[in-house]
Coordinates of all heavy atoms in Angstrom, one line a residue:
V198 N 10.1 0.8 3.1 CA 8.8 0.2 2.6 C 7.8 1.3 2.5 O 7.5 1.9 3.6 CB 8.4 -1.0 3.5 CG1 7.1 -1.6 2.9 CG2 9.4 -2.1 3.6
D199 N 7.2 1.5 1.4 CA 6.1 2.5 1.2 C 4.8 1.7 1.6 O 4.4 0.9 0.8 CB 6.1 3.0 -0.2 CG 5.0 4.0 -0.5 OD1 4.1 4.2 0.4 OD2 4.9 4.4 -1.6
V200 N 4.3 2.0 2.7 CA 3.0 1.3 3.2 C 1.9 2.2 2.7 O 1.8 3.3 3.0 CB 3.0 1.2 4.7 CG1 1.7 0.6 5.2 CG2 4.2 0.4 5.1
F201 N 1.0 1.5 1.9 CA -0.2 2.2 1.3 C -1.4 1.4 1.4 O -1.4 0.2 1.7 CB 0.1 2.6 -0.1 CG 0.1 1.4 -1.1 CD1 -1.0 1.1 -1.8 CD2 1.2 0.6 -1.2 CE1 -1.0 0.0 -2.6 CE2 1.2 -0.5 -2.1 CZ 0.1 -0.8 -2.8
Q202 N -2.6 2.1 1.1 CA -3.9 1.4 1.0 C -4.3 1.4 -0.4 O -4.0 2.3 -1.2 CB -4.9 2.1 1.9 CG -4.5 2.0 3.4 CD -5.6 2.5 4.3 OE1 -6.3 1.7 4.9 NE2 -5.7 3.8 4.3
A203 N -5.1 0.4 -0.8 CA -5.5 0.2 -2.2 C -6.2 1.5 -2.8 O -6.0 1.8 -3.9 CB -6.3 -1.0 -2.4
W204 N -7.0 2.1 -2.0 CA -7.8 3.2 -2.4 C -6.9 4.5 -2.7 O -7.3 5.4 -3.4 CB -8.9 3.6 -1.5 CG -8.4 3.9 -0.1 CD1 -8.3 3.0 0.9 CD2 -8.0 5.2 0.4 NE1 -7.9 3.6 2.1 CE2 -7.7 5.0 1.8 CE3 -7.9 6.4 -0.1 CZ2 -7.2 6.0 2.6 CZ3 -7.4 7.5 0.7 CH2 -7.1 7.2 2.1
C205 N -5.7 4.4 -2.2 CA -4.8 5.6 -2.3 C -3.6 5.3 -3.2 O -3.1 6.2 -4.0 CB -4.3 6.0 -0.9 SG -3.1 7.2 -0.9
G206 N -3.1 4.1 -3.2 CA -2.0 3.7 -4.0 C -0.6 4.2 -3.4 O -0.6 5.0 -2.6
P207 N 0.4 3.6 -4.0 CA 1.8 4.0 -3.5 C 2.0 5.4 -3.8 O 1.5 6.0 -4.8 CB 2.7 3.1 -4.2 CG 2.0 2.2 -5.1 CD 0.5 2.5 -4.9
C208 N 2.9 6.1 -3.1 CA 3.3 7.5 -3.3 C 4.2 7.6 -4.5 O 5.5 7.5 -4.3 CB 3.8 8.1 -2.0 SG 4.0 9.8 -2.1
K209 N 3.7 7.9 -5.6 CA 4.6 7.9 -6.8 C 5.7 9.0 -6.8 O 6.8 8.8 -7.2 CB 3.7 8.0 -8.1 CG 2.9 6.8 -8.3 CD 2.2 6.8 -9.6 CE 1.2 5.8 -9.9 NZ 1.4 4.4 -9.5
P210 N 5.4 10.2 -6.4 CA 6.4 11.3 -6.3 C 7.6 10.8 -5.4 O 8.8 11.1 -5.8 CB 5.7 12.5 -5.8 CG 4.3 12.3 -6.1 CD 4.1 10.8 -6.0
V211 N 7.3 10.2 -4.3 CA 8.4 9.7 -3.4 C 9.2 8.6 -4.1 O 10.4 8.5 -3.8 CB 7.8 9.3 -2.1 CG1 8.9 8.7 -1.2 CG2 7.2 10.6 -1.4
M212 N 8.6 7.8 -4.9 CA 9.3 6.7 -5.5 C 10.4 7.3 -6.4 O 11.5 6.7 -6.5 CB 8.4 5.9 -6.4 CG 7.3 5.1 -5.5 SD 8.0 4.0 -4.3 CE 8.6 2.7 -5.2
N213 N 10.2 8.4 -7.0 CA 11.2 9.1 -7.9 C 12.3 9.6 -7.0 O 13.5 9.5 -7.4 CB 10.6 10.3 -8.6 CG 9.6 9.9 -9.7 OD1 9.7 8.8 -10.2 ND2 8.7 10.8 -10.0
L214 N 12.0 10.1 -5.8 CA 13.1 10.5 -4.8 C 13.9 9.3 -4.4 O 15.1 9.3 -4.4 CB 12.5 11.1 -3.6 CG 13.4 11.4 -2.4 CD1 14.5 12.4 -2.8 CD2 12.7 11.8 -1.2
F215 N 13.2 8.2 -4.1 CA 13.9 6.9 -3.7 C 14.9 6.5 -4.8 O 16.0 6.1 -4.6 CB 13.0 5.8 -3.4 CG 12.2 6.0 -2.1 CD1 11.1 5.2 -1.9 CD2 12.6 6.9 -1.2 CE1 10.4 5.3 -0.7 CE2 11.9 7.0 0.0 CZ 10.8 6.2 0.3
Q216 N 14.4 6.5 -6.0 CA 15.2 6.0 -7.2 C 16.5 7.0 -7.4 O 17.6 6.5 -7.6 CB 14.4 6.0 -8.5 CG 15.1 5.4 -9.6 CD 15.4 3.9 -9.3 OE1 14.6 3.2 -8.7 NE2 16.5 3.4 -9.8
K217 N 16.3 8.3 -7.2 CA 17.4 9.2 -7.3 C 18.4 8.9 -6.2 O 19.6 8.8 -6.5 CB 16.9 10.6 -7.1 CG 17.9 11.7 -7.1 CD 17.3 13.1 -6.9 CE 18.3 14.1 -6.7 NZ 18.7 14.3 -5.3
I218 N 18.0 8.7 -5.0 CA 18.9 8.4 -3.9 C 19.6 7.1 -4.1 O 20.8 6.9 -3.9 CB 18.2 8.4 -2.5 CG1 17.7 9.8 -2.2 CG2 19.1 7.9 -1.4 CD1 16.8 9.9 -1.0
R219 N 18.9 6.1 -4.6 CA 19.5 4.8 -4.8 C 20.5 4.9 -5.9 O 21.6 4.2 -5.8 CB 18.4 3.8 -5.3 CG 18.9 2.4 -5.4 CD 17.8 1.5 -5.7 NE 18.4 0.1 -5.7 CZ 17.8 -0.9 -6.3 NH1 16.7 -0.7 -6.9 NH2 18.4 -2.1 -6.3
N220 N 20.3 5.7 -6.9 CA 21.3 5.9 -8.0 C 22.6 6.5 -7.4 O 23.7 6.2 -7.9 CB 20.7 6.7 -9.2 CG 19.7 5.9 -9.9 OD1 19.7 4.7 -9.9 ND2 18.9 6.6 -10.7
E221 N 22.4 7.4 -6.5 CA 23.5 8.2 -5.9 C 24.4 7.3 -5.0 O 25.6 7.4 -5.0 CB 23.0 9.4 -5.2 CG 22.5 10.5 -6.1 CD 21.8 11.6 -5.4 OE1 21.8 11.6 -4.1 OE2 21.3 12.5 -6.0
V222 N 23.7 6.5 -4.2 CA 24.5 5.7 -3.1 C 24.8 4.3 -3.6 O 25.6 3.7 -2.9 CB 23.7 5.7 -1.8 CG1 23.4 7.0 -1.3 CG2 22.4 4.8 -1.9
G223 N 24.2 3.8 -4.6 CA 24.5 2.5 -5.1 C 23.3 1.5 -4.8 O 22.8 1.6 -3.7
S224 N 23.0 0.6 -5.7 CA 21.9 -0.2 -5.5 C 22.1 -1.3 -4.5 O 21.2 -2.0 -4.0 CB 21.5 -0.9 -6.9 OG 22.6 -1.6 -7.4
N225 N 23.4 -1.6 -4.1 CA 23.6 -2.7 -3.1 C 23.3 -2.2 -1.7 O 23.1 -3.1 -0.8 CB 25.1 -3.1 -3.2 CG 25.4 -3.8 -4.5 OD1 24.5 -4.4 -5.2 ND2 26.7 -3.9 -4.8
L226 N 23.3 -0.9 -1.4 CA 23.1 -0.4 -0.1 C 21.6 -0.2 0.2 O 21.2 -0.2 1.4 CB 23.9 0.9 0.1 CG 25.4 0.8 0.0 CD1 26.0 2.2 0.1 CD2 25.9 -0.1 1.2
L227 N 20.8 0.0 -0.8 CA 19.5 0.5 -0.5 C 18.4 -0.3 -1.4 O 18.6 -0.4 -2.5 CB 19.4 2.0 -0.9 CG 18.3 2.9 -0.5 CD1 18.1 2.8 1.0 CD2 18.5 4.3 -1.0
H228 N 17.4 -0.7 -0.7 CA 16.3 -1.5 -1.4 C 15.0 -0.9 -1.0 O 14.8 -0.6 0.2 CB 16.4 -3.0 -1.0 CG 17.7 -3.6 -1.3 ND1 18.0 -4.0 -2.6 CD2 18.8 -3.8 -0.5 CE1 19.3 -4.5 -2.5 NE2 19.7 -4.4 -1.3
F229 N 14.1 -0.7 -1.9 CA 12.8 -0.1 -1.7 C 11.7 -1.2 -2.0 O 11.9 -2.0 -2.9 CB 12.6 1.1 -2.6 CG 13.6 2.2 -2.4 CD1 14.5 2.4 -3.3 CD2 13.5 2.9 -1.2 CE1 15.5 3.4 -3.1 CE2 14.4 3.9 -1.0 CZ 15.4 4.2 -1.9
A230 N 10.6 -1.1 -1.3 CA 9.5 -2.0 -1.5 C 8.2 -1.2 -1.2 O 8.2 -0.2 -0.6 CB 9.6 -3.2 -0.6
V231 N 7.1 -1.7 -1.8 CA 5.8 -1.2 -1.5 C 5.0 -2.3 -0.9 O 5.1 -3.5 -1.3 CB 5.1 -0.6 -2.7 CG1 5.8 0.6 -3.2 CG2 5.0 -1.6 -3.8
A232 N 4.1 -2.0 0.0 CA 3.2 -3.0 0.7 C 1.8 -2.4 0.9 O 1.7 -1.3 1.5 CB 3.9 -3.4 2.0
E233 N 0.8 -3.1 0.5 CA -0.5 -2.7 0.7 C -1.0 -3.3 2.0 O -1.0 -4.5 2.3 CB -1.4 -3.3 -0.5 CG -2.9 -2.9 -0.3 CD -3.8 -3.5 -1.3 OE1 -3.3 -4.1 -2.3 OE2 -5.0 -3.4 -1.1
V234 N -1.4 -2.3 2.9 CA -1.8 -2.8 4.2 C -3.0 -3.7 4.3 O -3.0 -4.5 5.3 CB -2.0 -1.5 5.2 CG1 -0.8 -0.7 5.3 CG2 -3.2 -0.7 4.7
D235 N -3.8 -3.6 3.4 CA -5.1 -4.4 3.4 C -4.8 -5.9 3.2 O -5.5 -6.8 3.5 CB -6.1 -3.9 2.4 CG -6.6 -2.6 2.8 OD1 -6.8 -2.3 4.0 OD2 -6.9 -1.7 1.9
S236 N -3.6 -6.2 2.6 CA -3.3 -7.6 2.3 C -2.2 -8.2 3.2 O -1.8 -9.3 3.0 CB -2.9 -7.7 0.8 OG -1.7 -6.9 0.6
I237 N -1.7 -7.4 4.2 CA -0.7 -7.9 5.1 C -1.1 -7.7 6.5 O -1.2 -6.5 7.0 CB 0.7 -7.2 4.7 CG1 1.1 -7.4 3.3 CG2 1.8 -7.7 5.7 CD1 2.3 -6.6 2.8
D238 N -1.4 -8.7 7.2 CA -1.9 -8.6 8.6 C -0.9 -7.9 9.5 O -1.3 -7.2 10.4 CB -2.2 -10.0 9.2 CG -3.4 -10.7 8.5 OD1 -4.2 -9.9 7.9 OD2 -3.5 -11.9 8.5
A239 N 0.4 -8.1 9.3 CA 1.3 -7.4 10.2 C 1.3 -5.9 10.1 O 1.8 -5.2 11.0 CB 2.7 -8.0 9.9
L240 N 0.7 -5.4 9.0 CA 0.6 -3.9 8.8 C -0.7 -3.4 9.2 O -1.0 -2.2 8.9 CB 1.0 -3.6 7.4 CG 2.4 -4.0 6.9 CD1 2.6 -3.7 5.4 CD2 3.5 -3.2 7.7
E241 N -1.5 -4.1 9.9 CA -2.9 -3.7 10.2 C -3.0 -2.4 10.9 O -3.9 -1.6 10.7 CB -3.6 -4.8 11.1 CG -5.0 -4.5 11.4 CD -5.6 -5.7 12.2 OE1 -4.9 -6.6 12.6 OE2 -6.8 -5.6 12.4
K242 N -2.0 -2.1 11.7 CA -2.1 -0.8 12.5 C -1.9 0.4 11.6 O -2.2 1.5 12.1 CB -1.0 -0.8 13.6 CG 0.4 -0.7 13.2 CD 1.3 -0.7 14.4 CE 2.8 -0.6 13.9 NZ 3.6 -0.5 15.1
Y243 N -1.6 0.2 10.4 CA -1.4 1.4 9.5 C -2.7 1.6 8.6 O -2.7 2.5 7.8 CB -0.2 1.2 8.6 CG 1.1 1.1 9.4 CD1 1.7 -0.1 9.6 CD2 1.6 2.3 10.0 CE1 2.9 -0.1 10.3 CE2 2.7 2.2 10.7 CZ 3.4 1.0 10.9 OH 4.5 1.0 11.6
R244 N -3.7 0.7 8.7 CA -4.9 0.8 8.0 C -5.7 2.0 8.4 O -5.7 2.4 9.6 CB -5.8 -0.5 8.1 CG -5.1 -1.6 7.5 CD -6.0 -2.9 7.6 NE -5.2 -4.0 7.1 CZ -5.3 -5.3 7.5 NH1 -6.3 -5.6 8.4 NH2 -4.6 -6.2 7.0
G245 N -6.5 2.6 7.5 CA -7.4 3.7 7.8 C -6.7 5.1 7.9 O -7.3 6.0 8.3
Q246 N -5.4 5.1 7.5 CA -4.7 6.4 7.6 C -4.7 7.0 6.2 O -4.5 6.3 5.2 CB -3.3 6.2 8.1 CG -3.3 5.6 9.5 CD -1.9 5.4 10.0 OE1 -0.9 6.0 9.5 NE2 -1.7 4.6 11.0
C247 N -4.8 8.3 6.1 CA -4.8 9.0 4.8 C -3.5 9.5 4.3 O -3.4 10.1 3.3 CB -5.9 10.1 4.9 SG -5.4 11.4 6.0
E248 N -2.4 9.3 5.1 CA -1.1 9.7 4.7 C -0.2 8.5 4.5 O -0.4 7.5 5.1 CB -0.5 10.6 5.7 CG -0.2 10.0 7.1 CD 0.4 10.9 8.1 OE1 0.6 12.1 7.8 OE2 0.5 10.5 9.2
P249 N 0.7 8.6 3.5 CA 1.6 7.5 3.4 C 2.5 7.3 4.6 O 2.8 8.3 5.3 CB 2.5 7.9 2.1 CG 2.4 9.4 2.1 CD 1.1 9.7 2.7
V250 N 2.9 6.1 4.8 CA 3.9 5.7 5.9 C 5.1 5.0 5.3 O 4.9 4.1 4.5 CB 3.2 4.8 6.9 CG1 4.2 4.5 8.0 CG2 2.0 5.6 7.6
F251 N 6.3 5.4 5.7 CA 7.5 4.8 5.2 C 8.2 4.2 6.3 O 8.5 4.8 7.3 CB 8.3 5.9 4.5 CG 7.6 6.5 3.3 CD1 6.9 7.6 3.5 CD2 7.7 5.9 2.0 CE1 6.2 8.2 2.4 CE2 7.0 6.5 1.0 CZ 6.3 7.6 1.2
L252 N 8.4 2.9 6.2 CA 9.1 2.1 7.2 C 10.5 1.8 6.8 O 10.7 1.3 5.6 CB 8.3 0.8 7.5 CG 6.8 0.9 7.8 CD1 6.2 -0.5 7.9 CD2 6.6 1.7 9.0
F253 N 11.5 1.9 7.7 CA 12.9 1.7 7.4 C 13.4 0.5 8.2 O 13.2 0.5 9.4 CB 13.7 2.9 7.7 CG 13.3 4.1 6.8 CD1 12.3 4.9 7.1 CD2 14.0 4.3 5.6 CE1 12.0 6.0 6.3 CE2 13.7 5.3 4.7 CZ 12.7 6.2 5.1
Y254 N 13.9 -0.5 7.5 CA 14.4 -1.7 8.2 C 15.9 -1.8 8.0 O 16.4 -1.6 6.9 CB 13.7 -2.9 7.7 CG 12.2 -3.0 8.1 CD1 11.2 -2.4 7.3 CD2 11.9 -3.7 9.2 CE1 9.9 -2.5 7.7 CE2 10.6 -3.8 9.6 CZ 9.6 -3.2 8.9 OH 8.3 -3.3 9.2
T255 N 16.6 -2.3 9.0 CA 18.0 -2.7 8.9 C 18.1 -4.1 9.6 O 17.7 -4.2 10.7 CB 18.9 -1.7 9.6 OG1 18.7 -0.4 8.9 CG2 20.4 -2.1 9.5
G256 N 18.6 -5.0 8.9 CA 18.8 -6.3 9.4 C 17.5 -7.0 9.9 O 17.5 -7.7 10.9
G257 N 16.4 -6.7 9.3 CA 15.1 -7.2 9.6 C 14.4 -6.5 10.8 O 13.3 -6.9 11.2
E258 N 15.0 -5.5 11.3 CA 14.5 -4.7 12.4 C 14.0 -3.3 12.0 O 14.7 -2.6 11.2 CB 15.5 -4.5 13.5 CG 16.0 -5.8 14.2 CD 14.9 -6.5 15.0 OE1 14.1 -5.8 15.7 OE2 14.8 -7.7 14.9
L259 N 12.8 -2.9 12.4 CA 12.3 -1.6 12.1 C 13.1 -0.6 12.9 O 13.3 -0.6 14.1 CB 10.8 -1.5 12.6 CG 10.1 -0.2 12.3 CD1 10.0 0.1 10.8 CD2 8.7 -0.1 12.9
V260 N 13.8 0.4 12.1 CA 14.7 1.3 12.7 C 14.1 2.8 12.6 O 14.6 3.7 13.4 CB 16.1 1.2 12.1 CG1 16.7 -0.1 12.5 CG2 16.1 1.5 10.6
A261 N 13.2 3.0 11.7 CA 12.7 4.4 11.6 C 11.3 4.4 10.9 O 11.1 3.5 10.1 CB 13.6 5.3 10.8
V262 N 10.5 5.4 11.2 CA 9.2 5.5 10.5 C 9.0 7.0 10.2 O 9.3 7.8 11.0 CB 8.0 5.1 11.5 CG1 6.7 5.4 10.8 CG2 8.2 3.6 11.9
V263 N 8.6 7.3 8.9 CA 8.3 8.6 8.5 C 6.9 8.6 8.0 O 6.5 7.8 7.2 CB 9.3 9.1 7.4 CG1 8.8 10.4 6.8 CG2 10.7 9.1 7.9
R264 N 6.1 9.5 8.6 CA 4.7 9.6 8.2 C 4.5 10.8 7.3 O 5.0 11.9 7.6 CB 3.8 9.8 9.4 CG 3.8 8.5 10.2 CD 2.9 8.7 11.5 NE 2.9 7.5 12.3 CZ 2.3 6.4 12.1 NH1 1.5 6.3 11.1 NH2 2.4 5.4 13.0
G265 N 3.9 10.7 6.2 CA 3.7 11.8 5.2 C 4.7 11.8 4.1 O 5.8 11.2 4.3
A266 N 4.5 12.4 3.0 CA 5.4 12.5 1.9 C 6.3 13.7 2.0 O 6.3 14.6 1.2 CB 4.5 12.5 0.6
D267 N 7.0 13.8 3.1 CA 8.0 14.9 3.3 C 9.3 14.5 2.7 O 10.2 13.8 3.4 CB 8.1 15.1 4.8 CG 9.0 16.2 5.3 OD1 9.8 16.6 4.5 OD2 8.8 16.7 6.4
A268 N 9.6 14.9 1.5 CA 10.8 14.5 0.8 C 12.1 14.9 1.5 O 12.9 14.0 1.6 CB 10.8 15.2 -0.6
P269 N 12.2 16.1 2.1 CA 13.5 16.4 2.8 C 13.7 15.4 4.0 O 14.8 15.0 4.3 CB 13.3 17.8 3.2 CG 12.4 18.4 2.2 CD 11.4 17.3 1.9
L270 N 12.6 15.2 4.8 CA 12.7 14.3 5.9 C 13.0 12.9 5.5 O 13.8 12.2 6.1 CB 11.4 14.3 6.7 CG 11.4 13.4 8.0 CD1 12.6 13.8 8.9 CD2 10.1 13.5 8.7
L271 N 12.4 12.4 4.4 CA 12.7 11.1 3.9 C 14.1 10.9 3.5 O 14.8 10.0 3.8 CB 11.8 10.7 2.7 CG 10.3 10.4 3.1 CD1 9.4 10.4 1.9 CD2 10.3 9.0 3.8
Q272 N 14.6 11.9 2.7 CA 16.0 11.9 2.3 C 17.0 11.9 3.5 O 17.9 11.1 3.5 CB 16.3 13.1 1.4 CG 17.7 13.0 0.8 CD 17.9 14.0 -0.3 OE1 17.1 14.7 -0.8 NE2 19.2 14.0 -0.9
K273 N 16.7 12.7 4.5 CA 17.5 12.8 5.7 C 17.5 11.4 6.4 O 18.6 10.9 6.8 CB 17.0 13.9 6.6 CG 17.8 14.0 7.9 CD 17.2 15.1 8.8 CE 17.9 15.1 10.1 NZ 17.1 15.5 11.2
T274 N 16.3 10.8 6.5 CA 16.2 9.6 7.2 C 17.0 8.5 6.5 O 17.7 7.7 7.1 CB 14.8 9.2 7.4 OG1 14.1 10.2 8.1 CG2 14.6 7.9 8.2
I275 N 16.9 8.4 5.2 CA 17.6 7.4 4.4 C 19.0 7.6 4.6 O 19.8 6.6 4.8 CB 17.2 7.5 2.9 CG1 15.7 7.1 2.7 CG2 18.1 6.7 2.0 CD1 15.2 7.4 1.3
L276 N 19.5 8.8 4.4 CA 21.0 9.0 4.5 C 21.5 8.7 5.9 O 22.6 8.1 6.1 CB 21.3 10.4 4.1 CG 21.1 10.6 2.6 CD1 21.3 12.1 2.2 CD2 21.8 9.7 1.7
E277 N 20.7 9.0 7.0 CA 21.1 8.7 8.4 C 21.2 7.2 8.6 O 22.1 6.7 9.2 CB 20.2 9.4 9.3 CG 20.3 10.8 9.5 CD 19.3 11.4 10.4 OE1 18.3 10.7 10.8 OE2 19.4 12.6 10.7
Q278 N 20.3 6.5 8.0 CA 20.2 5.0 8.2 C 21.3 4.3 7.5 O 21.8 3.3 7.9 CB 18.9 4.5 7.8 CG 17.7 4.9 8.7 CD 18.0 4.6 10.2 OE1 18.5 3.6 10.6 NE2 17.7 5.6 11.0
L279 N 21.8 4.9 6.4 CA 22.9 4.3 5.6 C 24.2 4.5 6.4 O 25.1 3.7 6.3 CB 23.0 4.9 4.2 CG 21.9 4.5 3.3 CD1 22.0 5.3 2.0 CD2 21.9 3.0 3.0

């Protein structure tokens, strides 16, 4: 989940990376979403941050968090979680 604030918007360059990885591993294994923190109370702790935050869930449980648009770290985290 790409967690963003309205004034900043979702991280578009990272969305391209996600799409590339999804195409490589198959669409059944990997799902991406974006969530605006200002409209979801459960994400309140991520408000007021100037960097994107990426949350990784498996079976409804948070399993990893990556702060910042670090493409190599994001790719590594995605592949490790798969």
Side-chain angles (χ1 to χ4, degrees):
V198 179
D199 178 358
V200 177
F201 71 95
Q202 294 188 104
W204 57 268
C205 171
C208 189
K209 292 186 189 321
V211 172
M212 296 304 287
N213 292 333
L214 171 67
F215 287 167
Q216 191 62 36
K217 177 182 172 270
I218 295 170
R219 186 173 184 205
N220 289 339
E221 291 173 1
V222 301
S224 61
N225 292 340
L226 295 175
L227 196 55
H228 303 280
F229 300 109
V231 294
E233 182 184 348
V234 299
D235 296 323
S236 62
I237 302 171
D238 290 338
L240 298 175
E241 183 177 7
K242 69 179 180 179
Y243 299 106
R244 291 180 188 156
Q246 298 180 20
C247 64
E248 65 183 355
V250 177
F251 300 91
L252 308 177
F253 295 86
Y254 289 88
T255 299
E258 297 292 321
L259 182 64
V260 295
V262 176
V263 173
R264 296 180 183 279
D267 183 337
L270 179 57
L271 284 165
Q272 183 167 359
K273 177 182 176 210
T274 303
I275 290 168
L276 296 175
E277 284 176 352
Q278 294 305 318
L279 288 174

